[in-house]
Amino acid sequence: MQYFVKSSEPQKQKTDCAIIPWLETSKVPAGLKALDKACGNAIKDAARRGDLSSKVGASTLLIGGANSPCKRILVVGCGKPESFDRKTFTKVTGIAAGALARTGAKDAVSYLSQALKSGRKEQAARRLAMDTVAAVEQATYRFDALKSKQHRQKPIALKRFGIAVSQSSERNAVSATLPQARAIAEGARLARDLGNMPSNRCTPRYLASVARKIAAKSKKASARILNPDEIKRLGMGALLSVAAGAVEPARLIVIQYRGTSAKTKPTVLVGKGITFDTGGISIKPGQGMDEMKFDMCGAAGVLGAMQATIELGLKKNVVAIVPACVNMPDGNATNPGDIVTTMSGQTVEILNTDAEGRLILCDALTYARRFKPDTIIDVATLTGACVVALGPFVSGLMTEDDKLAAGLLEAGELAGDQAWRLPLMKEYGEGLASNFADFANVAGREGGASIAASFLSRFTKDLRWAHLDVAGTAWKSGKEKGATGRPVGLLVQYLLNA
Ligand code: BES
Ligand code: MN
Ligand code: ZN
């Protein structure tokens, strides 16, 4: 989709479809009266006939008259003016884009921001652009390459989407934000495609090939893929133990992006890349196990954020590290009680082979030290406990660094990709005590998200580190099953701010 900003008078704007907000006040918005007039009072007449609904989620498609500047008018229900906030704006923008996608309209101009309270600041204009692009991309995303032709939906005609603003200051802020919003959207699209791709296609090797493609887009970026021999030489016993039962070997995928002087310490992003999680010998129940193809969504998020970073040419140094493998039961697989030596030298008793994410991450976090990072952020679909705690709305954020937490929370807020802080303190690690190794990979069930983070913290001593558990946010279950592209927005916004 192409996006553009429009600040000309609405009645002069030729378009396949004008998108108009309809609030409970049931009035044509003041700024759109001239447009309605130019359309032969199409909106006013429809309102009088009782054809328009102000319910959030409702939309009515009107036909513009013979001499009207717009071929269609999509009137979108926006609810009560006082409750029309950023989230409702994003929701109705998505509804409008979804409705438009079912028509033949090739371009559209959205006036939905007219329903927001006036007096917007530059910050609000930035959000307007971010939210519009995110909502339109969300509504028009399809993953049907693996359906045969007759099962595919008809292609979407909509190609150009305009954001109407009324002031030139807004126009500038929206224009400046659009490239960033687009890069985030493209990064999120990559993350969604990777997440949705089944494990017989999205393998560790496939993730490596995607990383190479991302790095090839810029001279400032390079990719390095470590094979099992190299991984072994580094002493990554934990990562190798998770891959032991699989036919396809583990890979350690590294993308290095140099956007500024080599002296500047990089931000390192680490993403969990389990391309399928059966649980291993501690095998999972069959119900819903297909969703464990999404267990590489941390990796997908990190790769999507890296793609956006490269696309935007950010003046920062950023490294992406993805430990990738498949967690399978097999004669060669790791058994509960097996003890491995991690790259850090610490030994771990693997009491549950289904707690594999922390095992591949701990070696990747140790590896990250060689880049002398300023900050490390790891992203992982790490625990079911995080889903129980927070549901599908916010990602779990765990860090001991309050400033880093504030930066990440703010970035999530700005990008409409929220996180919520969960505790991380010594007590959560107490249950990890082991009779046979330095510590175990699991403790009790309660507080599982923080226990997992506490395990990881034993590998990030003296580092500025945060952990994002995206088990609840990276994909949706049920009828809308599919990857969401989170937390690409949060990560890229963080890099833009930092
Ligand atoms: N990938 C799962 C976490 C997960 C489960 C994400 C369900 C989303 C939905 C992870 O590898 C896992 O299996 N974690 C275990 C840890 C436990 C054994 C301590 C879990 O959460 O049950
Ligand atoms: Mn698991
Ligand atoms: Zn897992």
Side-chain angles (χ1 to χ4, degrees):
M1 192 78 59
Q2 270 184 292
Y3 296 90
F4 57 96
V5 55
K6 272 289 155 206
S7 57
S8 56
E9 294 171 68
Q11 67 274 20
K12 291 187 183 150
Q13 177 61 42
K14 281 213 172 77
T15 176
D16 274 4
C17 187
I19 305 169
I20 309 288
W22 199 247
L23 289 159
E24 243 179 39
T25 49
S26 290
K27 277 195 206 126
V28 177
L32 299 172
K33 286 207 170 112
L35 172 67
D36 191 30
K37 207 163 158 211
C39 298
N41 294 321
I43 306 173
K44 229 198 276 166
D45 288 348
R48 208 173 291 141
R49 286 195 306 267
D51 288 353
L52 303 182
S53 166
S54 63
K55 253 224 195 97
V56 172
S59 68
T60 314
L61 189 66
L62 306 174
I63 305 303
N67 299 316
S68 127
C70 25
K71 292 188 191 144
R72 305 170 184 76
I73 305 163
L74 185 68
V75 186
V76 184
C78 291
K80 288 190 181 22
E82 62 273 19
S83 52
F84 191 77
D85 57 3
R86 196 181 160 201
K87 279 192 177 146
T88 319
F89 172 80
T90 307
K91 193 167 166 190
V92 299
T93 301
I95 287 161
L100 268 176
R102 290 186 287 274
T103 73
K106 292 192 195 66
D107 68 77
V109 176
S110 168
Y111 296 96
L112 290 173
S113 72
Q114 295 248 350
L116 288 161
K117 281 172 219 83
S118 55
R120 294 193 300 278
K121 305 216 177 61
E122 194 180 305
Q123 180 85 312
R126 270 186 69 82
R127 287 181 175 172
L128 178 67
M130 283 285 181
D131 294 347
T132 300
V133 173
V136 173
E137 293 294 316
Q138 188 79 17
T140 54
Y141 176 82
R142 300 269 186 280
F143 187 81
D144 54 11
L146 300 178
K147 292 191 183 214
S148 51
K149 271 226 178 77
Q150 64 267 36
H151 290 277
R152 279 181 212 158
Q153 282 176 278
K154 85 172 196 317
I156 295 171
L158 191 65
K159 292 281 173 306
R160 290 169 39 78
F161 196 95
I163 301 171
V165 296
S166 37
Q167 296 154 16
S168 65
S169 62
E170 278 183 324
R171 183 195 173 92
N172 294 343
V174 170
S175 302
T177 309
L178 277 179
Q180 299 170 0
R182 211 177 293 128
I184 289 175
E186 285 302 314
R189 171 187 302 276
L190 171 69
R192 296 178 86 175
D193 284 347
L194 289 173
N196 289 334
M197 202 174 281
S199 74
N200 58 337
R201 290 174 183 260
C202 183
T203 59
R205 198 155 47 104
Y206 183 78
L207 287 178
S209 75
V210 170
R212 277 204 196 90
K213 267 195 213 129
I214 293 170
K217 286 193 191 137
S218 165
K219 277 191 206 125
K220 296 181 202 158
S222 59
R224 189 170 165 222
I225 317 298
L226 279 70
N227 62 35
D229 285 337
E230 293 166 294
I231 294 171
K232 205 173 196 164
R233 247 178 279 137
L234 287 165
M236 295 189 169
L239 170 56
L240 288 172
S241 77
V242 175
V247 172
E248 179 157 334
R251 297 279 195 303
L252 190 77
I253 301 164
V254 184
I255 306 178
Q256 211 174 341
Y257 169 74
R258 296 169 208 82
T260 184
S261 113
K263 273 180 272 170
T264 310
K265 291 179 170 179
T267 301
V268 178
L269 307 175
V270 179
K272 172 178 173 183
I274 295 288
T275 60
F276 197 83
D277 181 12
T278 65
I281 298 296
S282 313
I283 198 162
K284 287 181 181 293
Q287 179 73 251
M289 207 209 269
D290 64 288
E291 294 192 9
M292 283 300 116
K293 73 172 181 177
F294 295 117
D295 212 16
M296 33 53 69
C297 282
V302 162
L303 292 175
M306 192 51 137
Q307 178 184 281
T309 299
I310 291 173
E311 166 73 30
L312 292 170
L314 295 190
K315 293 192 169 35
K316 296 194 63 97
N317 291 330
V318 185
V319 180
I321 303 176
V322 170
C325 67
V326 199
N327 188 19
M328 284 295 232
D330 175 75
N332 289 318
T334 299
N335 292 325
D338 285 2
I339 294 175
V340 296
T341 304
T342 64
M343 185 181 174
S344 73
Q346 302 176 99
T347 62
V348 175
E349 183 182 17
I350 300 175
L351 288 178
N352 190 325
T353 64
D354 196 11
E356 85 297 340
R358 60 198 80 182
L359 293 172
I360 68 168
L361 289 172
C362 75
D363 280 341
L365 288 168
T366 303
Y367 184 79
R369 285 180 188 270
R370 69 178 49 204
F371 297 101
K372 309 240 175 318
D374 172 73
T375 305
I376 304 188
I377 302 160
D378 81 74
V379 185
T381 51
L382 204 61
T383 65
C386 189
V387 191
V388 173
L390 298 175
F393 309 112
V394 295
S395 306
L397 167 66
M398 283 146 272
T399 178
E400 279 168 27
D401 189 311
D402 292 343
K403 239 186 103 190
L404 179 53
L408 287 164
L409 292 173
E410 192 200 44
E413 199 69 53
L414 261 174
D417 182 5
Q418 268 186 80
W420 203 264
R421 199 167 174 188
L422 294 173
L424 168 61
M425 48 185 102
K426 269 213 214 80
E427 288 89 327
Y428 287 101
E430 285 168 3
L432 294 171
S434 160
N435 287 355
F436 307 108
D438 294 353
F439 46 89
N441 73 329
V442 292
R445 267 163 38 90
E446 288 120 354
S450 293
I451 292 171
S454 175
F455 176 93
L456 294 177
S457 75
R458 295 179 178 207
F459 299 85
T460 57
K461 277 184 207 113
D462 309 317
L463 294 174
R464 187 168 187 259
W465 161 75
H467 161 60
L468 274 173
D469 194 331
V470 294
T473 52
W475 77 88
K476 289 183 185 171
S477 305
K479 234 182 121 220
E480 288 182 90
K481 192 191 287 181
T484 60
R486 293 175 74 176
V488 172
L490 182 156
L491 291 174
V492 178
Q493 189 65 57
Y494 173 78
L495 292 171
L496 282 166
N497 294 353

